Amino acid sequence: MKKVPIVLLPDIDKASTPVSELLARQELYLSQYMKLTESNDKAIVFISGLASHQFPTYSSFEVVSLGSRKISSPRFALSLLQTIQESDIKPAFIVAGTPFKPYLISLILKVFKRGTKIQVSVHGELDGIRAGGILGFLRFQFLRFTISRANLIRFVSPIQAEQFQHLINSRKKTVITPVPVDTQKRDQKVGSERSVGFVGRIQIGRAHV
């Protein structure tokens, strides 16, 4: 039985980041993991929203679609559990791309696969929680009562880590790793005319410009 990392990207077609870029980031993360662990076994990225055949072949992971349309968290979790049980793989750990739907799926899976380790990533979701409203309140309560079940929390900046620990009052182990940038891939040089570039995105619950 192979022990490999599992990454959860449900509703990948609805992500604010382009799908190609999102998967390219996983390639950077997981290729480094393979080097550090000296493993030749590919990780598995489970998605929904698109079919598996729409993606190219990656060197460090395999894309497995659990549905070409949007599916609920319980259905995604049960399909994931069935796929794992029917194969010869065992989760080395589960990577939840956000602290909401992917994290909820991870918790459901952990009920059936006890001892499974969960790494949850937190990006700009804190802004959505602080924005208030019923959705923000529910998300806050969800994280407040479940974050203790995560084994590791990943942030992209020290400020986010401090804000989260203050808001949720969590003492879980954290790691800070910015979003990776592949410096080997460069676009053609732009003209010499000066221009202004913005880093970030204008979107509630995500990073600010």
Side-chain angles (χ1 to χ4, degrees):
M1 180 175 290
K2 295 185 296 185
K3 196 173 184 179
V4 299
I6 288 178
V7 180
L8 304 182
L9 296 176
D11 305 331
I12 193 171
D13 58 320
K14 305 298 183 184
S16 57
T17 302
V19 173
S20 58
E21 180 181 337
L22 197 59
L23 292 176
R25 292 179 185 177
Q26 308 310 313
E27 178 82 321
L28 288 172
Y29 288 133
L30 295 169
S31 61
Q32 291 301 312
Y33 172 82
M34 291 179 69
K35 290 180 181 179
L36 290 172
T37 58
E38 298 182 349
S39 173
N40 294 321
D41 295 326
K42 288 187 176 183
I44 302 179
V45 176
F46 287 95
I47 68 167
S48 64
L50 294 172
S52 302
H53 64 78
Q54 296 181 238
F55 304 102
T57 300
Y58 294 92
S59 62
S60 60
F61 66 88
E62 175 187 355
V63 178
V64 175
S65 176
L66 298 178
S68 58
R69 297 180 180 180
K70 181 179 180 179
I71 59 178
S72 66
S73 298
R75 183 180 173 187
F76 189 104
L78 292 177
S79 297
L80 173 61
L81 177 64
Q82 182 179 2
T83 302
I84 290 175
Q85 291 178 333
E86 292 176 351
S87 63
D88 62 341
I89 61 172
K90 180 180 180 181
F93 56 88
I94 300 176
V95 179
T98 73
F100 301 125
K101 185 170 183 176
Y103 181 44
L104 174 59
I105 293 170
S106 301
L107 294 176
I108 296 174
L109 182 64
K110 194 169 185 176
V111 172
F112 300 95
K113 292 288 184 179
R114 295 186 180 277
T116 301
K117 296 181 178 180
I118 299 176
Q119 173 191 309
V120 58
S121 299
V122 178
H123 301 275
E125 292 85 3
L126 295 180
D127 295 323
I129 294 176
R130 288 195 297 263
I134 295 178
L135 183 58
F137 174 79
L138 292 175
R139 287 177 169 178
F140 172 77
Q141 296 301 325
F142 170 70
L143 288 178
R144 179 185 174 192
F145 289 106
T146 64
I147 199 62
S148 61
R149 300 184 182 181
N151 299 91
L152 182 68
I153 309 174
R154 170 187 169 263
F155 299 94
V156 296
S157 72
I159 294 178
Q160 285 186 347
E162 293 175 5
Q163 290 175 342
F164 184 86
Q165 291 171 349
H166 175 73
L167 185 66
I168 306 296
N169 192 26
S170 171
R171 301 297 178 184
K172 297 297 294 185
K173 184 178 180 180
T174 62
V175 61
I176 299 170
T177 55
V179 174
V181 177
D182 189 350
T183 57
Q184 301 300 318
K185 297 180 180 179
R186 300 178 181 178
D187 297 329
Q188 294 180 349
K189 292 183 178 180
V190 298
S192 59
E193 183 179 352
R194 293 184 178 182
S195 60
V196 177
F198 293 91
V199 178
R201 57 173 68 92
I202 303 176
Q203 180 181 346
I204 296 177
R206 304 295 294 183
H208 291 295
V209 171

